[in-house]
Amino acid sequence: ALLADAAFSRNGVVPGISEAWLTEGSLHEYEGSHDLTVEQLRTENRRRGRKMLDITRQIVCELERQSCTGSAAGGMCLILYEKTLKELRIRDPFLGLRKLLAISFLQSGSGERCNAVIQFDEVGKVNSPFQRTLIEFDPNATRSSLGA
């Protein structure tokens, strides 16, 4: 209920995670990696014969945990900065390899479909503080509630 109340939108568009996938690899392997979508990553991995693990449930649970503890601005963002796969309760199927976490989500208000691809290192930790590790479901609301 807390998440639903925080995510209410007068336009009838609430935020949500559509899908989340984990795969081996590095952002440097993909041309145009700044705009890489989940679908492009899935297509490219099929071509390369790489496996992808559906972790949508774990990412939704992490958003719920952050919402309940107050760290996710009332469910309006997902904070992945300095997180590990273990902290996200994801068993690492690609031990010793770099990994990509690809999330497809909807923003509240506009209903815009967005993507985020985050690099994890060989031990399962987000490996760059400069990556997009704050996923905003409502950029206007999170800026005001986070003081940014």
Side-chain angles (χ1 to χ4, degrees):
L2 177 65
L3 182 59
D5 288 342
F8 174 76
S9 167
R10 295 213 180 272
N11 294 337
V13 180
V14 295
I17 296 171
S18 302
E19 57 184 320
W21 295 88
L22 187 69
T23 187
E24 67 176 276
S26 171
L27 281 172
H28 303 293
E29 298 174 36
Y30 298 91
E31 194 168 320
S33 61
H34 290 72
D35 299 319
L36 190 63
T37 67
V38 173
E39 185 56 38
Q40 289 169 330
L41 187 64
R42 191 177 12 250
T43 301
E44 185 61 25
N45 279 340
R46 266 192 228 114
R47 188 182 71 75
R48 293 179 184 195
R50 287 186 175 170
K51 294 181 181 179
M52 292 184 72
L53 177 66
D54 183 354
I55 57 168
T56 305
R57 183 181 61 78
Q58 292 92 326
I59 297 300
V60 169
C61 287
E62 178 62 22
L63 175 61
E64 182 69 20
R65 273 191 295 278
Q66 289 184 17
S67 297
C68 290
T69 62
S71 62
M76 299 310 284
C77 66
L78 177 64
I79 302 166
L80 296 173
Y81 179 71
E82 291 191 347
K83 288 282 186 178
T84 65
L85 292 176
K86 186 175 182 178
E87 290 171 328
L88 297 172
R89 299 181 180 151
I90 299 169
R91 187 183 55 79
D92 188 350
F94 308 109
L95 291 171
L97 300 172
R98 289 185 175 191
K99 294 155 266 295
L100 294 173
L101 167 61
I103 301 175
S104 178
F105 61 97
L106 301 170
Q107 288 188 328
S108 69
S110 68
E112 181 180 354
R113 290 176 170 27
C114 302
N115 292 279
V117 179
I118 299 167
Q119 179 76 59
F120 282 76
D121 64 16
E122 295 82 358
V123 295
K125 183 176 181 180
V126 172
N127 74 345
S128 173
F130 304 109
Q131 288 187 306
R132 180 181 184 181
T133 55
L134 173 67
I135 298 172
E136 299 175 300
F137 297 113
D138 184 344
N140 296 326
T142 52
R143 277 188 181 78
S144 60
S145 60
L146 292 175

